[in-house]
């Protein structure tokens, strides 16, 4: 079939979605269940319905838009991603998978009508999923929606998660209009026949190799933890150095240790980051009294990542002990890596050949809802290049040509899988 | 004369003043020119007027309450301190010098009337000063009011200082009701004949030595600087370690260096602290992009402190260069130490003898408005013990007995100086 992607329309929709933001352009911030997020959802649901898709949502805010096939009793093929956005991020992370997924479906609709199919729908239904709360900003867990869909996170545990203001998820999702038991979210294994997610690479490799498409074969194992050090505080002028127990010194040592532990793992695939370091009471003439770190560690290899985590936790405690400041260590999450299904990877590669696009196999260093959907059904991901590999910053950029290529490959892949 | 300090009244007034706070008790926060600060000022002015003092204020909000003497043409004796309070501090820092100074004056009023003086006032006027903006929280400079009174800070420079919201001092002070030229604040040298400030020690030495009073002979030289590191930021999962330029790593090295530089100065009198370390954008899955440190360095010895500052600035730049992250270094202030006037110190010691209180000579590690008043007139300070030397934290505490002793010594000292 000849597929004509309407990239002008999709680009305009990406731009419009980026305007739903709580920080000034070009940065984006759209935290789950905020007014801005709810307004963006309304915009998207409008687009889904306009495309003739049957829209429903579940009790935690995952949104499903179904293009019903000739045999709706068969497990559908699914695609999708997220639209929430961390502070001061860009406009392509996740959104390309949702609006690109929508355009992939619209492209197939047009192509099948033009090719004379009657009805002009595939055999299996194709379902577009907008996962809720993929970013960890509000409730600490990344991929909250897909964790619940897959059963990786039990509903009781999810209900009690609180945000920085002490509000729990259960109340927040209900106030946002998503009511009913959280236990209803979980899908049965095999609910879908396959899940394929289109996403920007968030790394520099496709651009450096000048390739159009990455066929993702595995997703790195993510982990995060919180470390808190507490000291007596005191007057910056009045307390002699010998009398001090300053938690910022332990935290500083730990920040350097996280970096070293990742670099010294034996593989360049390990990454470690301190993204949050909060100092209380935060006054120039006051010795820090309370310091909180949030640490992110990832690797393609689960056991290697866990060795790095152990090193970090052990050193965290050692630095606190050496300084005489009580240390609290709390794991937030540590998930195993995921492997793509070979048949879907093959379908992606075939789609690239059919679309005359260059491609390579690669791994995903960032984790995505696909990681947890791998517990429900076979999965794979389609990557497109992004400029300088930049992401989680306003300069994040993928060209319309790159996005168009990704949408065409997604459309062809979904079509193959939906037969 | 027999002096009877009404410590019950003064303690009640200290407790009342502590209630003017923007954080919950027992912590105190009272930032200059906020609603809470203005309400506290109104309360204090009421007390000053109740004591029959003539109250005026200057154009930046320093408040003066004068007990007129028999010869008002002579330069008055002054006492006083501040009532603004940093975030999560205690209720005695500065307030003991203002409410204690008020009670010292009321004590002398009662004593002179009881002793039959006619009129019951000393020869020189005695003036109680409530210095504005002693804490650096809002406008970066500590002792803003006394810097302007002494001419150490020119009015044009002061007018342009901005707070964290970008509002400048000139607008803020006028909105608070303090209008007129800032140039009017400056006092002529010799405006006062002497200035003596009562303050809690903010250190543990008097308590450890079980002494009632510290006669302060010198005030340490304070300095503060800002260092900012800026990197590209990026995705915590997506950017390989070899490709990173993380400003938090430079900042962590610098925090450890500040501590080492202070400890290695050759003297226990050097202190160095990082009280502020801000990470932007502050998200667990985002590599820090911008990190700001605020650094406090102090010493009794000016040249030694300056050597420590040089080491810190040099290392700050080195760490930025090694990491490839642009470094901005901005000195906020670097003031010379101050020496107390021997005659006032002698008057303080004589007052201790007359009051049958134990005492020792000592230096002040924290700096105070007295540091800048030393450019206007002879100065000295009177210290009282505080529990465990704690300050700049809610646990800050001086007993009523300790405060009573300080007030009696202040009253006797002021009386001697006012002859």
């Amino acid at each position: 079939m000849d597929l004509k992607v309407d990239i002008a329309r999709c680009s305009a929709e990406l731009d419009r979605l980026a305007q739903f933001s709580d920080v000034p352009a070009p940065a984006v911030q759209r935290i789950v269940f905020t007014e801005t997020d709810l307004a963006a959802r309304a915009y998207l649901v409008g687009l889904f319905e306009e495309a003739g898709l049957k829209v429903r949502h579940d009790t935690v805010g995952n949104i499903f838009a179904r293009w019903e096939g000739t045999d709706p009793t068969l497990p559908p093929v699914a695609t999708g991603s997220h639209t929430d956005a961390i502070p001061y991020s860009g406009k392509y992370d996740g959104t390309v998978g949702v609006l690109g997924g929508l355009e992939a479906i619209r492209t197939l609709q047009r192509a099948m009508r033009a090719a004379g199919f009657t009805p002009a729908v595939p055999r299996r239904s194709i379902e577009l999923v907008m996962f809720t709360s993929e970013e960890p900003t509000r409730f600490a867990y990344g991929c909250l929606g897909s964790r619940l869909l897959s059963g990786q996170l039990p509903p009781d545990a999810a209900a009690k998660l609180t945000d920085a203001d002490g509000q729990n998820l259960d109340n927040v999702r209900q106030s946002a209009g998503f009511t009913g038991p959280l236990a209803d979210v979980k899908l049965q294994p095999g609910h879908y026949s396959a899940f394929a997610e289109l996403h920007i690479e968030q790394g520099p490799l496709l651009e450096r190799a000048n390739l159009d498409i990455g066929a993702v074969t595995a997703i790195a194992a993510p982990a995060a933890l919180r470390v808190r050090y507490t000291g007596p505080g005191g007057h910056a002028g009045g307390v002699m150095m010998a009398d001090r127990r300053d938690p910022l010194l332990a935290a500083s040592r730990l920040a350097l240790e996280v970096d070293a532990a990742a670099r010294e793992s034996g593989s360049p695939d390990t990454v470690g980051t301190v993204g949050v370091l909060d100092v209380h009471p935060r006054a120039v003439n006051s010795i820090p009294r309370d310091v909180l770190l949030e640490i992110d560690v990832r690797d393609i290899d689960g056991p290697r990542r866990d060795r790095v985590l152990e090193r970090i936790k052990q050193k965290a405690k050692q630095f606190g002990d050496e300084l005489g400041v009580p240390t609290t260590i709390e794991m937030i999450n540590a998930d195993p890596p995921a492997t793509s299904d070979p048949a879907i990877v093959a379908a992606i590669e075939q789609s690239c050949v059919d679309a005359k696009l260059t491609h390579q196999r690669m791994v995903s260093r960032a984790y995505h809802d696909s990681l947890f959907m791998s517990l429900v059904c076979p999965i794979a991901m389609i990557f497109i290049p992004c400029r300088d590999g930049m992401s989680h910053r306003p300069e994040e950029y993928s060209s319309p040509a790159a996005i168009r290529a990704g949408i065409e490959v997604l459309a062809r892949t979904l079509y193959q899988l939906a037969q």
Side-chain angles (χ1 to χ4, degrees), chain A:
Chain A
M1 272 192 310
D2 189 26
L3 299 192
K4 288 186 173 45
V5 173
D6 189 350
I7 187 57
R9 179 177 186 187
C10 184
S11 292
E13 289 166 349
L14 283 165
D15 287 347
R16 177 74 190 97
L17 181 58
Q19 292 176 335
F20 294 92
S21 170
D22 284 327
V23 293
V28 180
Q29 175 178 319
R30 198 164 45 240
I31 310 293
V32 71
F33 298 137
T34 57
E35 289 295 323
T36 303
D37 175 54
L38 297 181
R41 288 166 180 262
Y43 166 64
L44 291 166
V45 167
L47 294 179
F48 301 162
E49 290 173 340
E50 218 181 307
L53 307 181
K54 213 181 294 185
V55 180
R56 70 171 186 91
H57 61 258
D58 69 15
T59 58
V60 75
N62 294 304
I63 297 176
F64 308 84
R66 178 171 292 203
W67 183 27
E68 202 158 274
T70 56
D71 194 345
T73 64
L74 292 172
V77 176
T79 187
S81 191
H82 69 101
T83 58
D84 57 331
I86 72 172
Y88 294 90
S89 55
K91 62 188 197 185
Y92 301 92
D93 176 5
T95 57
V96 163
V98 175
L99 287 169
L102 174 63
E103 180 54 27
I105 291 173
R106 294 187 304 218
T107 298
L108 286 175
Q109 289 173 331
R110 292 190 296 271
M112 294 191 77
R113 279 198 297 268
F117 286 88
T118 315
V121 302
R123 180 161 163 251
R124 290 180 190 267
S125 298
I126 295 180
E127 186 147 277
L128 174 64
V129 186
M130 197 212 87
F131 295 95
T132 197
S133 202
E134 190 273 353
E135 297 290 6
T137 316
R138 189 161 187 182
F139 292 106
Y141 281 89
C143 296
L144 197 49
S146 48
R147 287 182 189 269
L148 282 163
L149 285 167
S150 62
Q152 189 276 336
L153 181 65
D156 300 341
K160 295 185 203 133
L161 294 174
T162 55
D163 66 10
D165 299 325
Q167 300 193 77
N168 71 34
L169 172 64
D170 210 28
N171 290 338
V172 173
R173 59 118 185 165
Q174 293 191 66
S175 299
F178 301 106
T179 56
L182 281 178
D184 290 357
V185 173
K186 186 178 187 305
L187 301 174
Q188 291 310 308
H191 178 88
Y192 295 123
S193 60
F195 176 80
E197 181 171 359
L198 172 65
H199 206 288
I200 57 171
E201 179 195 338
Q202 296 176 306
L205 306 181
L206 287 174
E207 187 183 62
R208 284 181 192 166
N210 200 23
L211 297 171
D212 299 312
I213 296 291
V216 177
T217 53
I219 302 175
L225 65 154
R226 247 184 224 116
V227 177
R228 184 186 294 274
Y229 292 113
T230 306
H235 195 293
V239 182
M240 316 277 284
M241 299 310 287
D243 292 339
R244 293 191 178 206
R245 285 181 288 126
D246 180 350
L248 181 55
L249 302 177
S252 297
R253 296 183 72 187
L254 186 57
L256 295 167
E257 184 70 24
V258 167
D259 184 77
R263 288 176 195 270
E264 292 164 14
S265 73
S267 165
D269 287 330
T270 321
V271 287
T273 310
V274 175
V276 174
L277 196 157
D278 286 345
V279 175
H280 173 86
R282 192 193 170 280
V284 67
N285 54 352
S286 194
I287 300 166
R289 183 176 183 134
D290 196 88
V291 179
L292 170 72
L293 299 93
E294 290 189 359
I295 302 167
D296 179 303
V297 180
R298 311 186 197 197
D299 203 330
I300 281 302
D301 181 300
R304 187 170 60 220
R305 182 210 60 195
D306 291 343
R307 285 194 295 275
V308 170
L309 281 175
E310 274 318 299
R311 170 174 167 174
I312 288 171
K313 287 194 280 187
Q314 189 205 330
K315 286 295 192 179
K317 187 169 188 314
Q318 177 190 326
F319 296 150
D321 291 346
E322 283 174 359
L323 209 67
V325 289
T327 311
T328 315
I329 301 171
E330 178 197 351
M331 285 305 301
I332 301 172
N333 64 289
D335 305 290
T339 314
S340 294
D341 179 79
I344 309 180
V345 173
I348 292 169
E349 292 177 316
Q350 184 60 49
S351 301
C352 292
V353 169
D354 295 343
K356 298 180 171 39
L357 295 165
T358 57
H359 57 98
Q360 72 176 14
R361 294 187 170 197
M362 60 194 300
V363 300
S364 175
R365 302 185 176 290
Y367 70 101
H368 305 273
D369 293 299
S370 294
L371 182 79
F372 298 98
M373 291 307 288
S374 71
L375 303 171
V376 176
C377 63
I379 64 109
M381 295 189 72
I382 299 164
F383 272 176
I384 59 170
C386 60
R387 184 170 60 196
D388 287 333
M390 297 184 294
S391 185
H392 284 190
R393 45 188 293 196
E395 297 86 348
E396 181 184 82
Y397 177 77
S398 282
S399 68
I403 297 167
R404 193 217 65 78
I407 294 170
E408 179 173 356
V409 171
L410 176 64
R412 292 184 181 277
T413 302
L414 293 174
Y415 185 72
Q416 290 179 65
L417 297 171
Q419 296 318 307

